[in-house]
Amino acid sequence: MKISYNHLSRAFTKKISIEDMSTKLFQLGHEHTVEDEIFDIEFTPNRGDCLSLLGLSRDLGIFYDKNKNFISTFNEPIEKFNLNFVNEIKENCPKITFLNIEISGQISEYKDYLNDYFVDLNIKKNNFFTDVSNYLSYEMGQPTHCYDYEKINNNLTLKVNNEASKFKTITGQEINILEGELVFTSDGKVVNLAGVMGGENSACNNQTKNVVVECAFFKPEAIIGKTLKYNLISDAAYKFERGTDHDCHEKVLRRFIKIVNEHTSIKKLEISYFGSEITDQTQIQFS
């Protein structure tokens, strides 16, 4: 994974040289190369918690004082979102949250932290909501997906695909989703290969003003192998395969709101929670 030294430096109170930060990363076991002030880090599969600025800064926090204002969030109450959602595969996705956010007016030029993400890492911009979603995954490690609200008719179902379905991804790639795969549907049509990639038929564009943001926890075994199977490149799947934080949804979506609010006016804001708290049943005995 590529992480910018300059972006990571914002997480700490004092200036840290790239050489010192590199040394500390090696001490933590994060082998990497450095080119043009970009760390290219190879994380072991069990360290999915480090696949973000937040996660990596948490590791480095043992050496440096953290900037408490590194990631700020929206803190006001949010109304309930009455989304017609059905989850038929709770065993594979036990927890999922949806945010409905509608904006009005023009979108301002991207703030430095958002613009630098695209410039420094040479990433192509798409549209405002997708850009925020992509940046958020980089910053906090939790993938989110944005649906154009007008294209899903206020209904989503998470289910097992009961027959093969032709599907055009958000990147324009046409695939044939096989029977038995986990998918999101709206009005009976597949709109998302769950945990991997959304579809062109529900995607946001530069005219989108009203979105539904999906923030889910998928069990890694439900996502592993899907990108290879369908020849897709998916940052979301890469992170879901390695495990994401099932307790982060509230903070992530409130961070999403904060970023949007820094660039435009918010007209409507609603949120809905599905599933229950997940408890770790693993117990370690000490003698």
Side-chain angles (χ1 to χ4, degrees):
M1 180 177 178
K2 292 185 178 181
I3 297 279
S4 166
Y5 156 72
N6 290 320
H7 305 172
L8 192 54
S9 295
R10 296 169 183 159
F12 307 103
T13 58
K14 296 181 180 179
K15 180 68 174 178
I16 305 163
S17 71
I18 192 170
E19 292 79 13
D20 187 62
M21 190 176 290
S22 176
T23 298
K24 296 300 191 294
L25 287 171
F26 276 115
Q27 290 181 22
L28 290 165
H30 302 316
E31 297 190 7
H32 62 276
T33 58
V34 184
E35 184 176 351
D36 296 329
E37 297 194 337
I38 302 294
F39 295 119
D40 193 346
I41 309 175
E42 290 293 333
F43 294 104
T44 55
N46 66 321
R47 291 309 309 270
D49 60 301
C50 288
L51 295 174
S52 64
L53 292 177
L54 179 63
L56 203 53
S57 67
R58 187 166 50 232
D59 258 25
L60 287 168
I62 193 173
F63 300 109
Y64 310 123
D65 291 332
K66 294 284 294 295
N67 175 7
K68 295 180 180 179
N69 298 318
F70 174 47
I71 296 177
S72 58
T73 60
F74 179 81
N75 294 316
E76 300 298 322
I78 306 175
E79 296 293 326
K80 182 180 179 181
F81 177 30
N82 292 314
L83 175 69
N84 181 15
F85 173 67
V86 178
N87 185 355
E88 297 182 2
I89 52 164
K90 294 178 182 178
E91 65 275 15
N92 289 318
C93 180
K95 190 175 181 181
I96 187 167
T97 307
F98 294 96
L99 173 71
N100 179 213
I101 182 167
E102 184 178 1
I103 62 173
S104 61
Q106 298 298 311
I107 297 166
S108 67
E109 290 187 11
Y110 286 1
K111 304 293 184 181
D112 287 345
Y113 69 88
L114 183 57
N115 191 61
D116 289 350
Y117 163 69
F118 296 97
V119 174
D120 296 345
L121 297 177
N122 194 28
I123 294 173
K124 182 181 177 181
K125 295 177 182 177
N126 292 282
N127 58 76
F128 178 59
F129 288 111
T130 301
D131 289 348
V132 173
S133 178
N134 289 340
Y135 171 74
L136 201 58
S137 180
Y138 170 72
E139 184 185 74
M140 301 192 72
Q142 170 65 42
T144 56
H145 180 71
C146 297
Y147 302 91
D148 187 315
Y149 180 84
E150 304 300 330
K151 296 177 181 177
I152 63 168
N153 197 28
N154 200 50
N155 76 89
L156 284 170
T157 298
L158 179 56
K159 58 181 286 188
V160 173
N161 203 30
N162 55 18
E163 61 180 357
S165 307
K166 290 184 178 181
F167 182 68
K168 193 170 186 179
T169 70
I170 198 171
T171 59
Q173 187 172 342
E174 293 186 355
I175 62 175
N176 190 43
I177 299 179
L178 300 178
E179 180 182 352
E181 299 289 16
L182 308 184
V183 296
F184 285 91
T185 65
S186 178
D187 293 331
K189 296 181 180 179
V190 176
V191 294
N192 192 339
L193 178 56
V196 180
M197 190 171 293
E200 186 179 76
N201 56 354
S202 61
C204 299
N205 55 46
N206 288 323
Q207 284 70 53
T208 300
K209 297 291 185 180
N210 195 352
V211 299
V212 174
V213 186
E214 164 212 321
C215 188
F217 172 74
F218 293 101
K219 292 186 177 178
E221 56 269 27
I223 307 300
I224 289 173
K226 304 302 183 185
T227 52
L228 289 174
K229 188 174 184 179
Y230 293 103
N231 192 29
L232 297 172
I233 297 174
S234 168
D235 175 72
Y238 185 82
K239 288 174 178 172
F240 283 132
E241 288 173 347
R242 287 155 178 78
T244 56
D245 180 6
H246 53 75
D247 283 333
C248 75
H249 296 185
E250 176 89 14
K251 185 175 181 179
V252 167
L253 291 177
R254 286 183 173 276
R255 176 60 176 160
F256 193 104
I257 297 167
K258 180 73 172 180
I259 296 172
V260 171
N261 201 36
E262 289 178 346
H263 292 86
T264 189
S265 298
I266 296 176
K267 182 178 179 180
K268 183 177 67 173
L269 200 56
E270 299 174 330
I271 196 167
S272 58
Y273 307 91
F274 296 90
S276 56
E277 293 302 315
I278 301 169
T279 57
D280 187 353
Q281 299 300 317
T282 302
Q283 296 184 358
I284 300 175
Q285 298 294 330
F286 292 93
S287 58

